[in-house]
Amino acid sequence: MSTLADLAAGMSDGSVEVVDLTAPLSEETPVIQLPEPLANTPGLRIEELSRYDDRGPAWYWNVLHVGEHAGTHFDAPVHWVTGEDGPDVSEVPAEDLVGPAAVIDMSREVEEDPDFLLEVEHVRRWEEEHGSLPEGGWLLYRTGWDARSEDEEAFLNVDGDGVSHTPGISVECARWLAQEAPIVGLGVETVGTDAGAAADFDPPFPVHSFLLGAEKYGVTQLQNLDRLPPTGSIVMVAPLPVEDGSGSPCRVLALTTH
Ligand code: MN
């Protein structure tokens, strides 16, 4: 009771800040592009129903046509074959969607190498400085890639051979985060939780494979992670509870203090 009263007081006096980690969603928002013959997801398309006109004189409303995995979005365990018996997006316990955030900043390394992969030793080094990854929390992986999110070409960064050069996580680190680390979820700034080149890893797409297989969660296309300290923030991830859904565009907010 007094904890929430303190929080309310902090929000009212400005010592607690709400940071929006969500990329705005528009018809231009980039989505992942898989090679032929794989099916691709559409991004967002907005169909207008009325806008204060004959179709609805006093109201404006639309229909959203959107892939589950468009923009800032949530991956439920059932998204991947390794998690096929796990929860769909409506079955994810709400308490897993709110938790302490650990922010690891590799933006300097990624500036040198867009194919940079986070390794267990990077997380261990972070833990030496900031303490263990939080039980039931979220690891938020800052790469600086959010600066590219409004420019599809720069964001997907595909070369002449069709390979995407975007940062990610090594196979061993993905396995470790899934099976040994106490976190429940991973948030990234890129179009997916795996590296751009991860189709050729063993296993392919190891973050999806291990994390979702361990009934943990992924969130993509975050921004404003530079406004969070390494520890001490609370993140809230809010996908739509679509029954049987594999994921959902979502709003991701953080509470932080200065
Ligand atoms: Mn996804």
Side-chain angles (χ1 to χ4, degrees):
M1 189 65 189
S2 78
T3 305
L4 290 181
D6 288 349
L7 174 61
M11 293 183 73
S12 145
D13 71 18
S15 59
V16 175
E17 188 191 358
V18 181
V19 179
D20 197 340
L21 306 181
T22 321
L25 183 61
S26 77
E27 294 188 338
E28 279 71 52
T29 298
V31 294
I32 198 164
Q33 285 169 16
L34 301 174
E36 294 277 337
L38 302 170
N40 271 299
T41 180
L44 174 67
R45 182 168 62 81
I46 298 177
E47 177 193 351
E48 188 177 278
L49 288 177
S50 72
R51 194 160 191 157
Y52 330 121
D53 54 27
D54 291 347
R55 300 169 299 169
W59 51 92
Y60 168 51
W61 56 346
N62 299 311
V63 179
L64 305 181
H65 302 267
V66 66
E68 291 172 323
H69 299 257
T72 301
H73 74 270
F74 180 87
D75 288 352
V78 77
H79 175 47
W80 216 251
V81 64
T82 49
E84 68 176 330
D85 298 324
D88 67 46
V89 67
S90 73
E91 294 168 333
V92 171
E95 58 266 32
D96 285 355
L97 299 175
V98 181
V103 183
I104 189 164
D105 183 359
M106 292 289 148
S107 52
R108 212 171 311 159
E109 289 78 359
V110 171
E111 211 170 304
E112 305 282 303
D113 176 14
D115 292 304
F116 176 82
L117 299 178
L118 186 72
E119 301 284 356
V120 176
E121 67 188 57
H122 296 120
V123 186
R124 287 300 196 195
R125 219 172 298 150
W126 183 95
E127 287 184 311
E128 278 166 25
E129 203 175 332
H130 303 291
S132 298
L133 288 179
E135 185 77 39
W138 285 73
L139 178 62
L140 305 180
Y141 175 26
R142 171 156 169 73
T143 54
W145 215 256
D146 58 334
R148 301 169 177 242
S149 69
E150 306 228 316
D151 175 347
E152 180 173 88
E153 199 178 323
F155 190 61
L156 301 177
N157 205 29
V158 178
D159 70 16
D161 297 321
V163 178
S164 171
H165 297 277
T166 63
I169 294 179
S170 76
V171 171
E172 174 52 21
C173 188
R175 191 204 60 74
W176 182 82
L177 289 172
Q179 297 172 4
E180 295 183 46
I183 55 165
V184 297
L186 167 74
V188 302
E189 296 173 338
T190 42
V191 76
T193 53
D194 268 295
D200 293 324
F201 292 5
D202 181 21
F205 306 105
V207 176
H208 285 82
S209 184
F210 288 125
L211 214 71
L212 302 179
E215 298 198 5
K216 295 184 175 183
Y217 319 109
V219 166
T220 67
Q221 212 167 321
L222 298 175
Q223 59 182 30
N224 294 328
L225 292 182
D226 59 333
R227 293 175 56 192
L228 302 185
T231 64
S233 299
I234 299 290
V235 65
M236 292 172 283
V237 180
L240 297 176
V242 179
E243 292 189 359
D244 207 29
S246 76
S248 162
C250 65
R251 195 75 180 249
V252 183
L253 302 171
L255 295 177
T256 191
T257 54
H258 302 285

